[in-house]
Amino acid sequence: MDYFLTIIILVSLFIILAASFDLIIGYCGLISIAHPIFYAIGAYTSAMLAKEAGVPVPVAMLIGALAALVSSIVVALPSLRVSGDYLLIASIGFQLGLIELAKHFHEIGGAGGLTNIPPFLIREVGREAYALLVVVVALLTVWFVRWMATGPYGRMMSALRDDELAFSMLGRNAIWVKVSVFAIGSGIAGFAGALYAHYFRFIEPDQFGLLASSAVLTMVVVGGMRTTWGPVLGAIVLQTLPQAITFFGLPPSVLGPLQGIMFTGLVLVFMFLRPQGLIAASDLWRGRQEGARHD
Amino acid sequence: MTDVLKIRDLNKSFGGIVVANNIDLDLRAGRVLGLIGPNGAGKTSLFNLVTGVVKPDSGSITLNGDAIDALPIYQRARRGLARTWQNLRLFPSLSVLDNVLLGPRDYPGEKLQSLIFDARGVARRQAENTEKAHRVLQRTGLGAVAHSRVQDIPYGQQKLVGVARALMNDARCLLLDEPMAGVEGQAYAAIQRVVRDIAESGVAVCVVEHNVAFVRDLCDEGVFMFAGKVLARGSVTELIADPRLTELYFGT
Ligand SMILES: Nc1ncnc2c1ncn2[C@@H]1O[C@H](COP(=O)(O)OP(=O)(O)OP(=O)(O)O)[C@@H](O)[C@H]1O
Ligand SMILES: [Mg+2]
């Protein structure tokens, strides 16, 4: 039973990550793969606040999300002011740099990881309650991304993706839109990280590196970018598949690389055979107020 | 008659190519100025300099008396500067109506906090803009294609979408880059009528156009550009009758 609850929690966490990443890379067209670092910032901030400062876990989680949001602005603002292309480089540099840095900080557990993170809900109510919480947050994230994508922001993001110069000439602030979307998506990832930390109670820097980046990217690409259910489907398929492999009882030294190869392989297969992913997005934007036609 | 846009001593060169050579130019409220000159004269470059797409080497630009030189593109637009593009630059992922809905200076919901704390206000302004957009689409003869994709309508109508999108700005100054190129029939008459109407409502309009008949019928005045220089300003009939200019225009 605990095993299934853990799978449900992991799948839900990846749904949160994939859906919020789709907002950034799919809807807004911002090229960055550093999403897991904001997951890490949320996880570490919340874990440290609860463990060392005795901050109540729900408060620590919210501060964790806020920390991810703020640091994403710090990364995105300077690079997006120069040009969109710099975001990829700046964010990967930030991701790998911060991971290396974390490995050398013994106060946060160093390379060995941070242990004994205070749990939340599990002891008082039970694992089921925690699983329910994570599922609800996942559904809220999916709903929120859809709400953003079909509202006034969705129209702006589509136009911005199509032609940034024409978009600016209409009086729209392209940098503001990009930084806002990047920050919101990253903040959500930070909250997911906090949810991870207080359930598994152990985090280590290497969890949040390029393997995690490729996993989240694969989920969005395979599931279907710019669709409501694509990232959900991608997260379910790609989170359960590696779990299935573990049943073969392969040693961990083989399992990790195998999963990496699987992700890369899947992205390649999909790029050639079904670039739109399992669920294809419409190439014409539709707002949710479509009922209110005046013709 | 008030000057809406004032350009003074504007200079710009790309490597060896001079696209603006000491340009002084004023656009007046309610008047249509035709900008003519051969290919490569610097007409589009002048629009790019005015709108902030390209930074000048020197010179100054004022809009309604305020210097706009230091402002980014979007802030110039918010002060009432609108333009169309020689190569359209429409948004292919959006319907005609949604292309046009992005045009107002103040876009409801652009500020995230208003989406959350003033959802009603955003919805109300959005509805007002939708009504306005439908009026603009009717006016430009696009009413029937409001919900079409921009790439599915004829080229002439696509040009009109660019104009309609710019009209949503309620601009003080409107720059049209070759609105007639590739346009014939109904769209031709529609563009001519719309530009006239806009000018009559007090907007300063500048039109770049190779179609001489169109410029002559529409514009109150013309300016002849060559190699980044304004060579002459006067009535369009005079300009096209000047043998020196026609020689430059058609090349020798
Ligand atoms: N960003 C740029 N970098 C380098 N050269 C440029 C740039 N923009 C324009 N030019 C050059 O400047 C010159 C003027 O171009 P511009 O587009 O302003 O001409 P135009 O008068 O609009 O011509 P046309 O009637 O063909 O549209 C051309 O030689 C063009 O190649
Ligand atoms: Mg041109």
Side-chain angles (χ1 to χ4, degrees), chain B residues 14 17 19 37-46 86 178 210:
Chain B
F14 292 109
I17 308 168
V19 293
N39 295 115
K43 306 179 296 293
T44 298
S45 296
L46 183 61
Q86 193 170 343
E178 304 205 10
H210 287 287

Side-chain angles (χ1 to χ4, degrees), chain A residues 147-148 151-156 158-174 176-177 180-181 184 282-290 292-295, chain B residues 51 53 73-74 77-78 81-83 85 89-95 98-99 101-113 115-116 122-123 126 130-131 134 147 149 165:
Chain A
W147 178 80
M148 283 285 282
Y153 247 72
R155 188 189 288 110
M156 284 205 291
S158 292
L160 176 59
R161 255 189 358 255
D162 282 347
D163 192 327
E164 182 171 344
L165 192 54
F167 178 76
S168 307
M169 195 61 238
L170 297 178
R172 309 280 72 82
N173 186 346
W176 161 257
V177 172
S180 307
V181 171
I184 292 170
S282 153
D283 54 358
L284 186 69
W285 181 81
R286 289 228 175 276
R288 60 173 169 270
Q289 275 134 355
E290 205 53 21
R293 285 190 177 183
H294 291 251
D295 49 4
Chain B
T51 51
V53 176
I73 301 171
Y74 79 91
R78 285 188 188 177
L81 183 64
R83 82 176 276 188
W85 305 84
R89 307 198 82 124
L90 302 179
F91 307 121
S93 322
L94 298 178
S95 69
D98 285 314
N99 263 270
L101 278 174
L102 278 158
R105 275 190 226 185
D106 197 10
Y107 179 85
E110 183 159 4
K111 293 212 164 46
L112 276 167
Q113 60 272 30
L115 274 180
I116 296 156
V122 170
Q126 176 88 9
T130 309
E131 258 174 49
H134 278 289
H147 298 286
R149 292 158 202 269
R165 197 170 65 172

